[in-house]
Amino acid sequence: MRTAQQILADSAVIAVVGASRDPFKAAHGVPLQMQQYGWRIIPVNPTVDELFGERAYRTLADIPHPVDLVDVFRPAADAVQVVRDAAAIGAPAVWLQLGIVSAEARRIAEGAGMDYVEDRCLIVERAAANLTRLP
C-alpha cells in the first residue's frame, strides 16, 4: 500500500465525491486548492452542473474517463457505498477526508486492492510533502 503522499504524487486526476459549491466549506476549498497546484479535479455532486471550471457528474460511474484517486467529502456512513463505487470504476485509490473514518470502507477498499487513506486532508499532505503538479 502506498503512503498518502505517494498516492498524491502518483495521481493526476482526482474525483471529489461531495464537492461543494459553498466557498466556505472544506469540500470546496480543498479541491480548489488542489486544482491550483495542478491536479485535475472532477467534481461528483448530483446538484450542480459545473464546479471549479469542470463538468460535475452525478456519480462516479458517470465519469467517462479513468480517475487516479477518489476523494470523499461525505459522512462515514455514505463512504461505504462511495468506496464500492470507486472499486467498480477501477479507481486505484480512495481517500476519506479529515474526520471521516470507516472500518467497513477500509475492508472494501483493501479487498478490491485499492490504496486507502482516511481521516487525513489532501491539502495538509500536499503541503507537508511540498507536492505540486505544476511545471
Side-chain angles (χ1 to χ4, degrees), residues 2-35:
R2 296 176 292 170
T3 67
Q5 292 175 355
Q6 287 171 324
I7 292 167
L8 285 179
D10 293 345
S11 298
V13 179
I14 303 172
V16 180
V17 178
S20 175
R21 65 179 145 208
D22 183 343
F24 297 104
K25 290 188 173 184
H28 181 90
V30 169
L32 182 61
Q33 187 176 125
M34 293 301 290
Q35 185 183 59

Side-chain angles (χ1 to χ4, degrees), residues 13 15-16 42-44 57-67 89:
V13 179
V16 180
I42 307 299
V44 179
Y57 294 91
R58 295 182 58 76
T59 69
L60 287 171
D62 293 333
I63 300 172
H65 53 76
V67 299
I89 66 165

Side-chain angles (χ1 to χ4, degrees), residues 15-115:
V16 180
V17 178
S20 175
R21 65 179 145 208
D22 183 343
F24 297 104
K25 290 188 173 184
H28 181 90
V30 169
L32 182 61
Q33 187 176 125
M34 293 301 290
Q35 185 183 59
Q36 291 168 343
Y37 278 93
W39 279 266
R40 182 172 181 205
I41 301 298
I42 307 299
V44 179
N45 180 325
T47 67
V48 297
D49 294 327
E50 182 179 302
L51 277 173
F52 320 117
E54 290 275 356
R55 178 178 172 198
Y57 294 91
R58 295 182 58 76
T59 69
L60 287 171
D62 293 333
I63 300 172
H65 53 76
V67 299
D68 303 310
L69 173 62
V70 173
D71 182 38
V72 182
F73 277 99
R74 299 292 304 145
D78 295 349
V80 172
Q81 186 59 49
V82 174
V83 173
R84 284 188 185 113
D85 294 345
I89 66 165
V94 66
W95 186 301
L96 277 56
Q97 278 295 137
L98 196 62
I100 307 169
V101 176
S102 172
E104 186 177 354
R106 176 181 291 276
R107 280 191 298 277
I108 293 165
E110 290 173 350
M114 297 169 34
D115 290 315

